[in-house]
């Protein structure tokens, strides 16, 4: 349709922009083994239903995630199963497309189970972002071998969780977990995530400490079970045994330092001189971010920023425009998720 | 008696070594006086002594501070500050100041108000005043 032409000396044209809100660190990406490659972005269930039918695994996981009304971004990355390069190539392409957590959901009997190792190693190599591996099983005795067979027990950023099928139905524990965890405050201990809607905890009476110790603990597999009257996750450590929350805090710090330093690069008239003034501008920003995280209790206060002195840098190095050699070091603040106490009851001698 | 200053090494204070940065923007044009002032609002320790002379040392963790950055109104910093609508009331600014001796940081600085502005035939200056929920001063 054409606009009406008026005689008015003032004419106004209107255009529309609909900015999509940044997902921050609450977006998740489902890695989907299928027969094609591609990335799909969803900001609500209404968009998912156009591509995935009701009852499909993708739709069910999207439902679980969007169950939390704060959930901002659900991405589906598809790769071709059986094609050796497909997985790496889509991971390469879409790794930084927005989501903070990767999610992969499989049965331990799935013939593509070994893909999990490739995904986990890929995530580990980036030193950024986390992977949640959500496994289902019908025979718990096969679980330890299935996980140890992946050979990913050094990976710091991979959290594995497993759940039995409930009357043959898959409950998608991982997506439910992320619907809470991805939206929770920074540094939340994964072992304290509790009361997940739509996930049936392990049987209150059949599943006890013995089963947990035998099938889950050796391979650092978390599950969802009754703990002291509350259904909650049983573990919050990644495959390497490190606290999962510390890895998430690592990424928050990395992101914040990156954006602060980007700001420094962009905001100063396009010119940062290669001398101590310029170098200290970077150092200052890094220190500022770490100090903030220390004050807020995410890292120990004894952090250390190591800077370089411009006078010790050769002219030819300066001419290259590359600043290297600065680094920082901090210790994460850890969290308590398991506590043992002892008590003494004094009973007077009975006469 | 020889004074300490005569025996000790001489020192140099160079104001050019001071770096002030707000939200990543460095102060590039300043004024004639202080580059900045920083003042903590509360004492770290309050001492209370009772009528018998027993004392209590009360530790105060309130690190509220007021930081004022004196900039030229023709500086990149002031122009960016106004232009980026950084004067939005809820904005939390990050201030990092490095002197040869101290490092002053705050990531919870709120811009109090648009300071007094004027125009005459003198260099235009602006005192950007921030209230910080927390500020921190450490050795550089």
């Amino acid at each position: 349709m054409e606009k009406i032409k008026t005689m008015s000396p003032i004419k106004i044209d209107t255009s529309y922009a609909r900015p999509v809100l940044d997902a921050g660190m609450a977006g998740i990406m489902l890695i989907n083994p299928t027969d094609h490659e591609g990335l799909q972005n969803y900001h609500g269930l209404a968009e998912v239903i156009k591509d995935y039918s009701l009852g499909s695994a993708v739709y069910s996981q999207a439902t679980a995630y969007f169950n939390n009304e704060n959930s901002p971004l659900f991405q589906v990355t598809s790769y071709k199963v059986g094609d050796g390069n497909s997985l790496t190539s889509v991971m390469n392409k879409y790794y930084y497309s927005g989501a903070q957590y990767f999610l992969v959901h499989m049965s331990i009997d799935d013939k593509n189970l070994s893909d999990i190792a490739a995904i986990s190693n890929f995530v580990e190599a980036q030193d950024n972002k986390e992977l949640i591996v959500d496994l289902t099983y019908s025979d718990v005795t096969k679980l330890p071998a299935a996980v140890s067979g992946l050979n990913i027990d050094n990976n710091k950023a991979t959290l594995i969780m497993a759940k039995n099928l409930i009357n043959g139905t898959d409950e998608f524990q991982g997506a439910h977990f992320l619907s809470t965890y991805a939206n929770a405050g920074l540094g939340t201990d994964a072992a304290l995530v509790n009361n997940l809607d739509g996930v049936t905890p392990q049987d209150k009476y059949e599943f006890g400490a013995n089963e947990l110790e035998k099938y889950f603990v050796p391979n650092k597999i978390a599950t969802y079970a009754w703990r002291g009257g509350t259904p909650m996750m049983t573990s919050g450590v990644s495959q390497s045994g490190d606290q999962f929350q510390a890895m998430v805090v690592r990424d928050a710090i990395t992101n914040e330092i990156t954006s602060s330093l980007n700001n420094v690069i962009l905001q100063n008239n396009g010119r940062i001189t290669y001398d101590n003034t310029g170098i200290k501008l970077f150092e200052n920003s890094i220190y500022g971010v770490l100090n903030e995280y220390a004050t807020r209790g995410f890292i120990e206060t004894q952090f250390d920023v190591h800077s370089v002195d411009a006078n010790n840098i050769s002219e030819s190095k300066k001419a290259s425009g590359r600043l290297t050699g600065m680094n920082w070091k901090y210790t994460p603040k850890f969290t308590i998720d398991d506590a043992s106490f002892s008590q003494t009851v004094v009973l007077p001698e009975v006469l | 008696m020889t004074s300490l200053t005569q025996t000790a090494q001489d020192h140099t204070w160079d104001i050019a070594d001071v770096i002030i940065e707000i939200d990543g923007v460095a102060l590039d044009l300043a004024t004639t006086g202080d580059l900045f002032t920083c003042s903590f609002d509360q004492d770290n320790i309050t001492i209370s002594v009772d009528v018998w002379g027993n004392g209590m040392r009360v530790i105060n963790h309130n690190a509220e501070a007021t930081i004022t950055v004196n900039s030229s109104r023709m500086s990149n910093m002031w122009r960016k500050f106004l232009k980026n609508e950084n004067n939005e009331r809820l904005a939390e600014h990050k201030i990092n100041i490095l002197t040869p001796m101290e490092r002053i940081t705050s990531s919870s600085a709120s811009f109090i108000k648009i300071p007094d502005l004027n125009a005459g035939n003198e260099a235009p200056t602006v005192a950007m005043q921030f209230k910080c929920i927390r500020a921190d001063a450490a050795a550089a």
Side-chain angles (χ1 to χ4, degrees), chain A residues 165-335:
Chain A
L165 300 175
I166 300 296
N167 300 327
T169 314
D170 199 332
E171 288 189 327
F172 303 104
Q173 170 184 227
H176 281 285
F177 168 79
L178 279 178
S179 121
T180 301
Y181 193 77
N183 289 301
L186 180 64
T188 300
D189 190 327
L192 300 184
V193 171
N194 58 65
N195 285 312
L196 296 174
D197 286 338
V199 185
T200 317
Q202 299 274 8
D203 191 281
K204 200 168 186 172
Y205 305 110
E206 298 293 336
F207 187 90
N210 284 342
E211 281 70 26
L212 190 68
E213 290 292 331
K214 198 164 166 192
Y215 301 114
F216 294 84
V217 174
N219 294 95
K220 304 186 186 75
I221 307 168
T223 187
Y224 186 62
W226 290 96
R227 294 175 68 195
T230 308
M232 62 201 277
M233 301 305 294
T234 56
S235 154
V237 298
S238 61
Q239 279 298 287
S240 61
D242 294 300
Q243 290 197 349
F244 190 69
Q245 61 88 9
M247 294 296 117
V248 181
V249 171
R250 169 200 73 182
D251 289 355
I253 292 177
T254 311
N255 292 349
E256 192 149 344
I257 290 184
T258 309
S259 79
S260 284
L261 297 186
N262 252 328
N263 229 1
V264 169
I265 293 244
L266 292 174
Q267 300 285 323
N268 291 295
N269 294 331
R271 184 174 169 79
I272 297 163
T273 46
Y274 209 136
D275 53 17
N276 278 334
T277 311
I279 290 170
K280 286 195 171 130
L281 213 48
F282 288 103
E283 186 197 331
N284 239 355
S285 279
I286 296 165
Y287 182 92
V289 173
L290 290 177
N291 192 49
E292 179 189 341
Y293 277 80
T295 332
R296 295 194 178 168
F298 291 116
I299 61 173
E300 296 289 346
T301 44
Q302 293 85 3
F303 61 85
D304 184 41
V305 182
H306 172 76
S307 189
V308 287
D309 188 340
N311 302 324
N312 299 336
I313 299 173
S314 70
E315 291 303 315
S316 49
K317 175 73 186 295
K318 285 180 186 165
S320 76
R322 277 191 302 273
L323 174 64
T324 55
M326 286 178 72
N327 56 58
W328 56 90
K329 189 163 85 176
Y330 63 84
T331 312
K333 267 234 162 119
F334 299 107
T335 53

Side-chain angles (χ1 to χ4, degrees), chain B residues 4-5 11 29 32-33 37 42 50 62 66-68 75 99 103-104 106 111 121-122 130 132 136-137:
Chain B
L4 267 178
T5 47
H11 294 276
L29 193 62
T32 50
T37 60
Q42 302 265 337
D50 73 3
N62 183 339
T66 308
I67 295 178
T68 308
S75 70
T99 76
R103 196 192 286 279
I104 298 155
S106 176
F111 193 48
N121 62 355
E122 278 171 11
F130 296 89
C132 312
D136 179 70

Side-chain angles (χ1 to χ4, degrees), chain B residues 98-110:
Chain B
L98 182 67
T99 76
M101 297 312 292
E102 303 95 3
R103 196 192 286 279
I104 298 155
T105 52
S106 176
S107 51
S108 54
S110 297

Side-chain angles (χ1 to χ4, degrees), chain B residues 111-132:
Chain B
F111 193 48
I112 296 180
K113 61 170 183 176
I114 300 275
D116 295 346
L117 303 172
N118 68 324
N121 62 355
E122 278 171 11
T125 63
V126 60
M128 300 165 74
Q129 205 179 37
F130 296 89
K131 269 279 182 195
C132 312

